[in-house]
Amino acid sequence: MNILHIDSSIQGDASASRQLSAAIADRLRRAHPDADYRHRDLIEAPTPHLTLDTVMAGDNDLLAEFLAADTVVIGAPLYNFTIPSQLKAWFDHVIVAGRTFQYGVEGPVGLVPDKRVIVAVARGGVYAEGSPYAPYEHAETLMRVLLGFIGVTRPEFVVAEGLKLGDEPRAAALAAASAQVEALAA
Ligand SMILES: Cc1cc2nc3c(=O)[nH]c(=O)nc-3n(C[C@H](O)[C@H](O)[C@H](O)COP(=O)(O)O)c2cc1C
C-alpha cells in the first residue's frame, strides 16, 4: 500500500486541516504499518504554476507520485471561498489530458484507476446544505468536480466548519470531525 499525504494550509501548527489530515494519515498507517508513506507539503515546497511547457510535457513528478498512490489524503482549507492556490496548482499538475482524463465521443472520461481519496476540509464559516452561505462554497464542490473528472468517483470528505465562530463552536466542530476520522474505514 502506498499513501500520499498532501497539506496546503498556511497556518502551520494552528491549522485545522493539517490536524485532521494528519489524524487520517495516522489512522491509515496504524492499520497498514508496512505502507509506503509520503508527505507533500505544498507550502514548504510550493508547486510551480502551470506553464505551456509543463502542459506540453504531460508527465511530471507530481502526477507520477499521485498515480503511484493507492490512497491520497488531502488537507484542504477554505481560503477566500475556495482551495488555496497552492493546492489548485497541484491539481493543475495532476489533471493531465491523456494521463488522468481523455475526451471520447461521449465527452470526457476519467482515467485514474481505482484510488481512494480522503479530503479533510476546514472552513471558518458554515456552508452546510441549507445554510445561506452554501452557494459560496467552492472548495469541497470544486474538489468533487476535479476528482470526479479524472475518475475518482467516490472521494471521502471529513469537514470541520464554523471554526471561526468562537472557541466553543471550533472545539465542537473539531471533535465532530475527529469522530468522522475515527469512523473512516482504515
Ligand atoms: C487567507 C485566509 C482566507 C480565508 N477565507 C475564508 C473564507 O473565504 N471563508 C471562510 O469561511 N473562512 C475563511 N478563512 C478561515 C479558514 O477557513 C479557517 O481558518 C480554516 O481553519 C482554514 O483551514 P486551516 O486551519 O487548515 O488553515 C480564511 C482564512 C485565511 C487564513
Side-chain angles (χ1 to χ4, degrees):
M1 185 174 176
N2 187 334
I3 301 168
L4 173 62
H5 174 188
I6 293 164
D7 274 314
S8 60
S9 167
I10 60 172
Q11 303 205 81
D13 291 344
S15 158
S17 65
R18 282 178 186 267
Q19 181 185 320
L20 293 170
S21 71
I24 295 166
D26 281 354
R27 180 167 166 75
L28 295 170
R29 293 177 76 193
R30 268 186 276 121
H32 306 278
D34 296 335
D36 282 336
Y37 170 77
R38 186 178 287 210
H39 185 222
R40 179 167 286 279
D41 189 327
L42 299 177
I43 305 305
E44 233 170 53
T47 302
H49 283 156
L50 272 191
T51 62
L52 186 57
D53 285 347
T54 327
V55 173
M56 297 310 281
D59 285 316
N60 64 72
D61 292 347
L62 295 170
L63 174 62
E65 186 179 68
F66 173 71
L67 290 173
D70 304 296
T71 301
V72 181
V73 180
I74 302 175
L78 181 70
Y79 293 159
N80 299 322
F81 305 106
T82 188
I83 56 176
S85 52
Q86 292 90 340
L87 183 55
K88 174 61 166 61
W90 179 83
F91 273 108
D92 286 340
H93 287 269
V94 160
I95 301 176
V96 177
R99 302 291 282 128
T100 51
F101 77 94
Q102 69 185 19
Y103 286 104
V105 281
E106 288 178 8
V109 182
L111 299 178
V112 174
D114 202 21
K115 193 181 295 298
R116 186 178 186 198
V117 178
I118 310 171
V119 187
V121 178
R123 312 197 273 242
V126 172
Y127 301 83
E129 216 181 314
S131 94
Y133 288 99
Y136 290 58
E137 212 284 355
H138 302 291
E140 180 180 346
T141 50
L142 173 65
M143 286 184 286
R144 285 187 188 278
V145 169
L146 297 177
L147 291 167
F149 182 72
I150 59 174
V152 179
T153 50
R154 284 183 300 168
E156 296 161 66
F157 281 81
V158 171
V159 177
E161 65 172 8
L163 297 172
K164 288 290 188 191
L165 300 183
D167 290 346
E168 268 182 38
R170 179 183 176 87
L174 287 174
S178 298
Q180 286 180 54
V181 172
E182 289 309 311
L184 289 170

